[in-house]
Amino acid sequence: MSIPTKQQALAILTPQGAWGVITAGVDKPGPGEILVRVESTALNPIDWKVQATAYSAVLKEYPAILGSDSAGVVAAVGEGVTKFAVGDRVLHQGFFTNRLGTLKQYVIIYADIVTKIPENLTFDQAASVPLGLATAAIGLYNKRWESGGAELVAPWKEGGRGKYAGQPIFIAGGSSSVGQYVIQLAKLSGFSPIITTVSAHNNDLVKGLGATHPIDRKLSDEEIVAAVKKITPKPLKIVFDAISLKATQGFSVDVLSPGGKLVLVLNNALPKERITGDKDVWTTYGTVHGELNREFGAEMYSYITELLSSGDIKPNLTESLPGGLAAGIEGLRRLQNDEVSGRKLIVHPQETSG
Ligand SMILES: NC(=O)c1ccc[n+]([C@@H]2O[C@H](COP(=O)([O-])OP(=O)(O)OC[C@H]3O[C@@H](n4cnc5c(N)ncnc54)[C@H](OP(=O)(O)O)[C@@H]3O)[C@@H](O)[C@H]2O)c1
């Protein structure tokens, strides 16, 4: 495969400044690394947040290339990489550096946290998996300190599949990308009933993934708590708030039973007095990059191809945005304005002109 020396990338041009398509160099894979030609990359809420809010503190260089989800083709492998060859279709998570961000045409990834895309998935579908699945899986299964997980036994571990049969779980925001993966993992773990809040038009979507009881997310906190109590008299030991806005954290902690665990995906905004009865509430960090989750991530990545090819884990529905990387700017505006429901927005870096 011929590899250009220059590429196009979607970047934040200055701290909290505008997005723009820039020309950047193409990195060479070092030992243990892979260079991927990105065919599909997904947009995520964190992208607009890093541009528009204090999350920008994670960025160290400008223009800053973001992007957390990549599906593409191996273009080159670094020294010591034996599991992958040029031409393999792969998916992986990106990170917040210009070398690892996926909103560009060629990206570097470490060989232990990448996996082959099974034949039953398109590049667009594959690009909907990495960040959402990692956040769901780390939050449920990784160690509590300091990795941010509920320490359940993952379904790919011995004895993990079906282990929590008969135990209820509540998931706020089941139609979100993260929520969809939490539902599916909860099903593999055996949880039942699987109760989740969604807009009514997404009831069938979440039921298709394994949710047993969708609840209308427009109900009041009290109505949601009452609806959950009506569905199951059993104590709710695990709650996953896949939205974690102030609007969802309140009823999420209220439905949790004493001694239970509440996994958040954004900062804890609950007043102390609302967290009663020894409830454990924390925020998970859904990246397989970095020390805390790397070992867990590498193990999970060794199972992802199988989970996807068997249909045990289904990708999110996707919406493909025509127009190459520049189309990401309007896509991110839609995400910021809550105009995306139950699907992942995908851009195609190779369609970028220039
Ligand atoms: N901690 C981490 O490492 C981490 C990792 C990934 C994501 N996140 C954060 O997690 C959140 C979700 O990310 P995502 O990519 O999964 O989002 P997403 O798919 O873009 O979210 C869109 C969905 O959110 C649902 N939603 C919005 N407000 C809701 C509410 N009040 N109750 C229930 N559902 C609601 C909508 O559901 P309906 O259309 O059905 O109404 C819609 O389907 C974001 O804030 C993101 O920044 C954190």
Side-chain angles (χ1 to χ4, degrees):
M1 183 180 296
S2 80
I3 301 165
T5 54
K6 297 278 177 206
Q7 64 171 328
Q8 304 296 301
L10 182 60
I12 303 169
L13 302 178
T14 55
Q16 299 198 14
W19 291 95
V21 175
I22 61 164
T23 300
V26 174
D27 292 306
K28 289 195 168 50
E33 294 179 343
I34 290 173
L35 180 71
V36 175
R37 188 184 71 200
V38 184
E39 301 296 336
S40 301
T41 176
L43 303 178
N44 285 288
I46 192 61
D47 302 329
W48 71 256
K49 289 178 188 179
V50 165
Q51 184 266 335
T53 74
Y55 279 103
S56 57
V58 298
L59 300 178
K60 304 285 178 246
E61 54 188 329
Y62 287 91
I65 303 170
L66 268 63
S68 297
D69 290 306
S70 152
V73 177
V74 174
V77 297
E79 192 190 316
V81 175
T82 52
K83 272 171 57 187
F84 299 94
V86 171
D88 285 345
R89 299 166 78 238
V90 293
L91 69 85
H92 66 89
Q93 188 169 10
F95 197 65
F96 303 93
T97 65
N98 284 0
R99 189 170 166 82
L100 301 174
T102 65
L103 287 166
K104 60 182 188 283
Q105 293 176 314
Y106 290 86
V107 66
I108 295 287
I109 183 65
Y110 311 111
D112 59 326
I113 45 174
V114 59
T115 194
K116 289 182 189 164
I117 301 172
E119 281 175 11
N120 57 323
L121 259 66
T122 63
F123 285 121
D124 282 10
Q125 290 174 317
S128 78
V129 174
L131 176 60
L133 180 62
T135 308
I138 290 166
L140 290 171
Y141 305 121
N142 206 5
K143 295 191 188 82
R144 169 71 176 88
W145 302 102
E146 297 162 348
S147 311
E151 297 197 0
L152 303 176
V153 179
W156 51 82
K157 292 260 200 211
E158 204 184 322
R161 195 168 277 233
K163 182 172 170 60
Y164 302 94
Q167 296 188 34
I169 189 169
F170 176 79
I171 301 152
S175 70
S176 67
S177 175
V178 174
Q180 291 187 40
Y181 293 113
V182 179
I183 290 172
Q184 297 183 83
L185 290 171
K187 184 181 172 191
L188 293 179
S189 288
F191 282 96
S192 177
I194 298 174
I195 309 164
T196 187
T197 55
V198 283
S199 291
H201 67 264
N202 282 321
N203 282 356
D204 288 344
L205 170 72
V206 294
K207 280 185 176 171
L209 300 172
T212 55
H213 295 79
I215 296 177
D216 188 346
R217 80 160 166 104
K218 290 179 190 71
L219 297 180
S220 68
D221 285 15
E222 295 73 26
E223 287 169 324
I224 289 172
V225 174
V228 173
K229 288 215 168 105
K230 213 169 151 191
I231 292 163
T232 179
K234 290 187 182 169
L236 265 157
K237 295 281 186 197
I238 300 284
V239 171
F240 198 122
D241 183 351
I243 303 300
S244 298
L245 296 173
K246 278 190 185 153
T248 58
Q249 291 190 15
F251 63 74
S252 292
V253 78
D254 289 350
V255 296
L256 191 66
S257 63
K261 299 174 176 185
L262 169 56
V263 187
L264 301 175
V265 292
L266 300 179
N267 288 340
N268 183 347
L270 290 162
K272 274 196 187 122
E273 56 276 14
R274 194 135 180 196
I275 310 174
T276 54
D278 262 349
K279 296 176 184 177
D280 191 8
V281 181
W282 72 89
T283 304
T284 198
Y285 186 37
T287 179
V288 295
H289 289 264
E291 268 176 48
L292 293 178
N293 298 328
R294 184 66 174 268
E295 196 183 328
F296 176 89
E299 181 185 294
M300 178 182 78
Y301 262 80
S302 69
Y303 291 99
I304 291 180
T305 307
E306 196 184 318
L307 288 167
L308 292 170
S309 65
S310 63
D312 281 341
I313 296 290
K314 297 183 186 69
N316 297 156
L317 298 176
T318 58
E319 178 184 335
S320 163
L321 306 180
L325 286 161
I329 299 172
E330 166 61 9
L332 289 168
R333 189 204 60 75
R334 285 172 57 196
L335 273 179
Q336 186 168 1
N337 288 304
D338 276 335
E339 293 170 16
V340 181
S341 174
R343 63 203 56 225
K344 205 94 179 172
L345 301 184
I346 306 287
V347 298
H348 300 125
Q350 303 304 324
E351 289 173 6
T352 312
S353 52

